[in-house]
């Protein structure tokens, strides 16, 4: 086949321009990305060979080799992995943008160092080669294809690339970087070894470079130099980190391994490394990231940890090994019991997989409990060294800060577990954090709330709203604020659905302040109850007129004691679906039952008193209802009619 020229897809061309013009301040990341791709290619071959071991051919060894030529100014990264056919080279390297390309570009902040760290997370790491190279040549042959079906791909990283057929005896891929003048330092073997040690030391494959030794000058006065020995040396540890004893692994090594497997160059919040023995034997190394990935809410994205069977890579995203509400967890599970030819279907049916899933879930929840508790043993004051006390306080603050960071990034996802994981519902409930009428930030646990409950208080009160401001300023909170009763403020979209699965906490029922009639029990004295009854009786005719005027909009109208400063509010009956949840379901295109709210009025408010005998009673009644709807976060069914009614009263 003669050379064929193809144009890059528009998004890829745009990405290449960004890479070559915006990420040059952190050039060294190119090697970590290309080595990671080479490692992935070897993992894919190992997996496909489980079903067809003839794919290895006469090359059973899986490895990555890196060579450099200082005079030519080139670096070559060669793997013995799965390789590419001609069609795959065109698809993966040029004309079809990966799904992450657009997302990657949308996340660029302008901070070169920060943006460079993103590139591997979005499946576009290959293009990082153009940070240091003005031309890249890729030569490849897919496992199982004959030598004459190799392919060469060449591009200068501008608008197009060339593809031609070649004869390539060996399986796998070679990426040849033709270095820019200002990147020639990377052709030095010592510099490449430094970067491998920094970024790729824990790749579970041998990364090899040609050995070098010092040779003195042959003539007097001639300087010595490093010369190649012709022998290949492994320059990384090339062992699976999770198989090593914990005592032999440093925090820095755990962090480096996380960065490699997660393609995340920010350190994790925490991790747990354990070997589990019993009816099912496996090793787990699980990480809690420090920030949410860009596709956390993407339903098409398959979450999951890497699955190995007896150190053989099986799949990247074994979602069956963790429940969906823990989809943010990264890591590795290595099973000693699963078959090597395990499929996704078998994972769904396997008893061993269920045991691993349950064990992983317990371990992650325990790790979160450790972060949330933040209460290591505190030295007693008597005889305690001041430095020791300070150290413990610092550890407390660090753990507390970590859980606050976790909750900010992943709290909404964890809440899904209330509805998805009945067995661990109580443990998840202990991890919940909310804002409240006493704390603007999400720092209040259910245990904290219960410990502060007033004497005689019979329920844990909460309100769900679209925003914190809407929740804090809701009319439904007025009586609670007056009496100093704390109310939890729930503002995540998942809150109302999730909390419906938690009827009580530690024997105390949870009660929405927007459902049912307010009943503060012992917190209201007899005089208040008697005054409320008398007020209700006094406005009984008014209530009946409101019911008639608003019969198409409300289920009922009644007097309430929950309002102090506002004339009216909307609630639903105890068993009804809230107005906020109904709106969310409709916005998501989901069926939602038609819910008519209950209008509660404050008989002491001047606007309510004005209603009696007013010539514009119907207009005032509808304004009262629409304003209550607005305060609750909704919109009038007919905004124009609302505006007309208000304008008529203003003139």
């Amino acid at each position: 086949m003669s050379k064929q020229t193809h144009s890059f897809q528009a998004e890829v061309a745009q990405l290449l321009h960004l890479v070559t013009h915006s990420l040059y301040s952190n050039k060294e990341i190119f090697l970590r990305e290309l080595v990671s791709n080479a490692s992935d290619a070897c993992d894919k071959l190992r997996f496909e060979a489980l079903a067809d071991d003839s794919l290895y051919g006469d090359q059973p060894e899986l490895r990555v080799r890196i060579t450099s030529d200082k005079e030519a100014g080139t670096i070559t990264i060669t793997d013995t992995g799965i390789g590419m056919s001609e069609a795959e080279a065109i698809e993966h390297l040029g004309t079809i943008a990966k799904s992450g390309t657009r997302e990657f570009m949308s996340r660029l902040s302008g901070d070169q160092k920060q943006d460079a760290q993103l590139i591997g997370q979005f499946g576009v790491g290959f293009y990082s080669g153009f940070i240091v190279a003005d031309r890249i040549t890729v030569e490849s042959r897919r496992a199982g294809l004959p030598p004459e079906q190799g392919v060469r791909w060449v591009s200068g990283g501008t608008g197009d690339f060339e593809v031609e057929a070649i004869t390539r005896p060996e399986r796998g891929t070679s990426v040849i970087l033709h270095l820019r003048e200002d990147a020639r330092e990377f052709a030095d073997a010592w510099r490449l070894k430094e970067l491998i040690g920094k970024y790729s030391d824990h790749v579970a494959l041998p990364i090899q470079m040609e050995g070098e030794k010092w040779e003195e000058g042959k003539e007097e006065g001639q300087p010595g130099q490093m010369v190649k020995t012709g022998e290949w040396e492994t320059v990384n540890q090339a062992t699976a980190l999770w198989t090593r004893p914990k005592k032999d692994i440093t925090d820095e090594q755990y962090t480096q391994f996380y960065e490699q497997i997660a393609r995340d160059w920010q350190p994790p919040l925490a991790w747990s490394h354990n070997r589990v023995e019993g009816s099912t034997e496996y090793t787990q190394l699980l990480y809690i990231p420090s920030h949410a990935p860009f596709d956390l809410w993407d339903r098409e994205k398959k979450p999951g940890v890497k699955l190995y069977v007896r150190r053989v890579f099986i799949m990247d995203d074994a979602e069956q090994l963790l429940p969906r509400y823990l989809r943010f967890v990264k890591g590795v599970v290595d099973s000693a019991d699963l078959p090597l030819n395990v499929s996704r279907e078998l994972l769904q049916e396997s008893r061993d997989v269920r045991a691993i899933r349950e064990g992983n879930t317990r371990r992650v929840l325990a790790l979160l409990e450790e972060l949330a508790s933040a209460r290591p043993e505190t030295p007693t004051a008597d005889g305690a060294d001041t430095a020791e006390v300070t150290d413990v306080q610092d550890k407390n603050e660090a753990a507390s800060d970590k859980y606050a960071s976790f909750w900010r990034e992943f709290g909404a996802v964890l809440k899904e577990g209330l509805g998805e994981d009945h067995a661990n519902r109580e443990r998840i409930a202990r991890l919940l954090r909310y804002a409240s009428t006493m704390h603007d930030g999400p720092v209040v646990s259910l245990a904290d709330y219960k410990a502060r409950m007033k004497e005689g208080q019979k329920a844990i009160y909460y309100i769900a709203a679209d925003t914190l401001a809407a929740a804090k300023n809701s009319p439904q909170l007025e009586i609670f604020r007056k009496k100093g009763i704390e109310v939890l403020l729930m503002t995540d979209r998942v809150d109302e659905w999730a909390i419906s699965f938690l009827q009580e906490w530690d024997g105390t029922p949870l009660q929405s302040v927007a459902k049912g009639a307010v009943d503060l029990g012992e917190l209201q004295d007899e005089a208040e109850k008697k005054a409320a009854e008398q007020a209700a009786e006094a406005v009984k005719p008014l209530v009946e007129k409101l019911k008639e005027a608003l019969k198409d909009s409300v289920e009922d109208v009644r007097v309430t004691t929950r309002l102090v400063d506002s004339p009216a509010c909307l609630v639903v009956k105890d068993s009804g679906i809230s107005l906020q949840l109904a709106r969310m379901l409709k916005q998501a295109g989901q069926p939602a039952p038609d819910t008519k709210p209950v209008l509660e009025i404050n008989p002491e408010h001047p606007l309510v008193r004005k209603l009696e005998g007013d010539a514009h009673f119907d207009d005032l009644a509808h304004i009262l209802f629409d304003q209550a709807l607005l305060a609750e976060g909704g919109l009038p069914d007919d905004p124009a009619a609302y505006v007309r009614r208000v304008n008529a009263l203003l003139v």
Side-chain angles (χ1 to χ4, degrees), residues 413-457:
V413 181
L414 186 67
K415 290 172 184 176
E416 295 174 9
L418 293 175
E420 296 175 3
D421 190 351
H422 175 77
N424 289 298
R425 188 173 295 159
E426 288 299 314
R427 295 187 72 176
I428 296 168
R430 285 197 292 270
L431 295 168
L432 299 176
R433 298 292 184 270
Y434 298 103
S436 81
T437 47
M438 293 185 179
H439 295 276
D440 284 350
V443 298
V444 182
S445 68
L446 294 176
D448 293 335
Y449 181 101
K450 185 166 181 178
R452 292 196 291 263
M453 280 174 53
K454 287 185 170 294
E455 186 177 349
Q457 185 176 338

Side-chain angles (χ1 to χ4, degrees), residues 233-397:
E233 299 177 351
T234 298
V235 294
N236 67 325
Q237 292 199 35
T239 58
L241 183 84
W242 65 88
T243 64
R244 293 161 52 190
K246 287 195 288 186
K247 62 181 177 61
D248 296 339
I249 308 173
T250 65
D251 287 354
E252 183 181 9
Q253 289 171 328
Y254 275 122
T255 298
Q256 289 173 349
F257 182 70
Y258 167 78
E259 292 173 348
Q260 174 208 322
I261 62 168
R263 298 291 185 91
D264 179 5
W265 315 112
Q266 295 183 30
L269 276 180
W271 59 83
S272 180
H273 182 194
N274 302 278
R275 180 175 177 81
V276 180
E277 296 178 339
S279 58
T280 302
E281 187 175 318
Y282 60 96
T283 300
Q284 55 183 198
L285 176 51
L286 305 173
Y287 290 91
I288 307 293
S290 58
H291 63 101
F294 76 100
D295 52 6
L296 183 65
W297 301 102
D298 183 357
R299 292 186 175 276
E300 300 300 317
K301 168 70 174 176
K302 289 182 179 177
V305 296
K306 292 180 181 289
L307 173 63
Y308 288 74
V309 174
R310 296 184 290 281
R311 304 188 194 181
V312 176
F313 173 78
I314 303 299
M315 64 183 71
D316 261 321
D317 48 8
E319 69 267 30
Q320 293 86 351
L321 299 183
L322 279 169
R324 188 160 179 78
Y325 71 90
L326 296 180
R327 58 185 176 274
F328 52 84
V329 173
K330 303 293 184 182
V332 169
V333 171
D334 191 345
S335 170
D337 302 317
L338 293 174
L340 285 171
N341 62 346
V342 64
S343 64
R344 292 192 183 275
E345 292 71 28
L346 184 60
L347 284 179
Q348 291 176 338
E349 300 165 3
S350 167
R351 181 182 303 173
D352 289 330
V353 169
R354 285 196 294 273
I356 293 172
R357 176 188 175 100
E358 291 169 2
N360 288 342
T361 301
R362 288 193 298 270
R363 180 54 58 184
V364 173
L365 293 178
L367 187 57
L368 294 176
E369 286 166 350
E370 290 174 18
L371 291 178
S373 62
R375 293 187 184 107
E377 184 176 349
T378 304
T380 59
D382 295 335
D385 184 83
T386 303
E388 184 182 0
V389 174
T390 302
D391 182 56
V392 170
Q393 291 172 341
D394 289 344
K395 289 178 179 177
N396 271 323
E397 291 175 5

Side-chain angles (χ1 to χ4, degrees), residues 59-92:
Q59 293 176 267
E61 183 185 10
L62 296 176
R63 52 164 170 72
V64 179
R65 282 183 172 172
I66 300 176
T67 60
S68 62
D69 185 329
K70 291 181 68 173
E71 292 185 7
T74 62
I75 299 172
T76 303
I77 298 100
T78 300
D79 65 70
T80 56
I82 193 68
M84 290 181 286
S85 64
E86 177 192 334
E88 288 170 331
I90 294 172
E91 175 182 341
H92 295 317

Side-chain angles (χ1 to χ4, degrees), residues 503-525:
Q503 302 300 318
E504 55 88 23
W505 165 254
D506 194 22
T508 303
L510 274 74
Q511 173 64 48
S512 168
V513 301
K515 284 189 176 183
V518 65
D519 181 9
L520 298 180
E522 297 176 19
L523 299 176
Q524 278 186 303
D525 58 38

Side-chain angles (χ1 to χ4, degrees), residues 338-626:
L338 293 174
L340 285 171
N341 62 346
V342 64
S343 64
R344 292 192 183 275
E345 292 71 28
L346 184 60
L347 284 179
Q348 291 176 338
E349 300 165 3
S350 167
R351 181 182 303 173
D352 289 330
V353 169
R354 285 196 294 273
I356 293 172
R357 176 188 175 100
E358 291 169 2
N360 288 342
T361 301
R362 288 193 298 270
R363 180 54 58 184
V364 173
L365 293 178
L367 187 57
L368 294 176
E369 286 166 350
E370 290 174 18
L371 291 178
S373 62
R375 293 187 184 107
E377 184 176 349
T378 304
T380 59
D382 295 335
D385 184 83
T386 303
E388 184 182 0
V389 174
T390 302
D391 182 56
V392 170
Q393 291 172 341
D394 289 344
K395 289 178 179 177
N396 271 323
E397 291 175 5
S400 178
D401 289 346
K402 281 187 175 183
Y403 193 73
S405 176
F406 163 80
W407 190 257
R408 184 171 58 251
E409 297 291 327
F410 303 111
V413 181
L414 186 67
K415 290 172 184 176
E416 295 174 9
L418 293 175
E420 296 175 3
D421 190 351
H422 175 77
N424 289 298
R425 188 173 295 159
E426 288 299 314
R427 295 187 72 176
I428 296 168
R430 285 197 292 270
L431 295 168
L432 299 176
R433 298 292 184 270
Y434 298 103
S436 81
T437 47
M438 293 185 179
H439 295 276
D440 284 350
V443 298
V444 182
S445 68
L446 294 176
D448 293 335
Y449 181 101
K450 185 166 181 178
R452 292 196 291 263
M453 280 174 53
K454 287 185 170 294
E455 186 177 349
Q457 185 176 338
K458 303 297 185 185
I460 296 172
Y461 295 106
Y462 69 89
I463 186 170
D466 292 329
T467 65
L468 183 63
K472 287 174 63 177
N473 297 314
S474 171
Q476 294 150 346
L477 296 183
E478 290 175 0
I479 188 63
F480 296 91
R481 188 176 288 112
K482 178 181 178 181
K483 290 187 170 293
I485 301 170
E486 187 173 16
V487 178
L488 298 176
L489 309 178
M490 302 185 180
T491 56
D492 282 330
R493 292 178 68 85
V494 72
D495 274 327
E496 197 151 9
W497 171 84
I499 207 68
S500 67
F501 294 94
L502 193 67
Q503 302 300 318
E504 55 88 23
W505 165 254
D506 194 22
T508 303
L510 274 74
Q511 173 64 48
S512 168
V513 301
K515 284 189 176 183
V518 65
D519 181 9
L520 298 180
E522 297 176 19
L523 299 176
Q524 278 186 303
D525 58 38
E526 289 303 317
E528 287 177 317
K529 292 178 182 178
K530 188 173 182 180
E533 291 171 1
Q534 291 174 344
E537 188 63 30
V539 295
K540 198 170 183 180
L542 174 63
V543 169
E544 294 302 319
K545 285 184 68 178
L546 284 171
K547 286 181 182 180
E548 179 61 26
L550 300 173
K551 61 184 177 182
D552 294 332
S553 302
V554 301
E555 182 175 339
D556 194 12
V557 179
R558 64 189 180 209
V559 173
T560 185
T561 58
R562 82 173 79 226
L563 297 172
V564 177
D565 301 314
S566 300
C569 69
L570 297 179
V571 297
V572 295
K573 293 196 171 180
D574 284 321
S575 57
I577 180 174
S578 77
L579 298 179
Q580 187 205 25
L581 185 55
R583 283 196 302 271
M584 287 173 53
L585 290 172
K586 289 177 181 177
Q587 289 168 1
Q590 301 293 323
D594 288 330
T595 302
K596 282 188 177 181
V598 174
L599 178 69
E600 294 191 341
I601 61 171
N602 176 3
E604 302 300 323
H605 196 278
L607 181 56
V608 174
R609 290 179 175 176
K610 183 180 179 181
L611 282 169
E612 297 183 85
D614 195 284
H616 301 92
F617 181 86
D618 277 6
D619 283 343
L620 283 172
H622 281 90
I623 289 173
L624 193 69
F625 172 80
D626 286 341

